[in-house]
Amino acid sequence: ANALAERGLPRVPQLAQLNLGGNVIGDDGAKALAERGLLSLYLGGNVISDDGAKALAERGLPSVPQLTQLNLGGNVIGDEGANALAERGLPSVPQLTQLDISHNSIGDEGAKVLALSELARVRAIALRSLGPCVA
């Protein structure tokens, strides 16, 4: 993902949507890709944890204020990552209209912080199957 962000994406500056679902890009890949001026970013199923969500919130999302769609479904984001997204990440993307954080490990605390965050402008929010993963 880092190589794609550093060498591939600069060659297609008009690219607005990127779908890398199910590629196990991890935390560093999520951060690198979020810094690339996209309108739509699909990172579902990529083993992104709280650390990756924090990196997105603190360094990735503030660099793409024009982002309209963000999909982080099917990762391993917990309460800490949800808190970071709610408090620092989501306020930095005022154009966001669609958010999917379904199928993560977000518990009651993270869900509450997300519910109280700046989600009023978001038209579509997917929060299916939140909570600890049970094998």
Side-chain angles (χ1 to χ4, degrees):
N2 287 336
L4 175 64
E6 292 170 8
R7 293 189 293 277
L9 294 180
R11 295 177 185 210
V12 285
Q14 72 282 2
L15 185 70
Q17 298 182 9
L18 182 62
N19 183 334
L20 289 175
N23 280 287
V24 193
I25 64 168
D27 298 337
D28 291 337
K31 186 225 174 237
L33 291 167
E35 294 176 339
R36 295 295 169 187
L38 299 166
L39 296 177
S40 177
L41 185 57
Y42 182 95
L43 298 175
N46 275 294
V47 196
I48 297 168
S49 70
D50 286 336
D51 288 340
K54 288 181 210 175
L56 280 170
E58 295 166 6
R59 296 185 300 275
L61 295 179
S63 67
V64 287
Q66 73 281 6
L67 192 71
T68 60
Q69 299 175 8
L70 177 62
N71 185 314
L72 295 171
N75 285 293
V76 290
I77 299 168
D79 288 341
E80 285 184 44
N83 290 346
L85 288 168
E87 294 171 2
R88 294 183 299 280
L90 298 179
S92 67
V93 284
Q95 304 301 314
L96 191 70
T97 59
Q98 295 180 22
L99 174 66
D100 186 342
I101 52 173
S102 299
H103 304 284
N104 275 286
S105 297
I106 299 169
D108 292 342
E109 179 188 330
K112 181 178 178 182
V113 172
L114 283 166
L116 297 173
S117 70
E118 298 186 28
L119 294 179
R121 72 182 178 283
V122 180
R123 291 184 297 200
I125 302 171
L127 302 168
R128 297 176 306 274
S129 298
L130 295 180
C133 296
V134 179

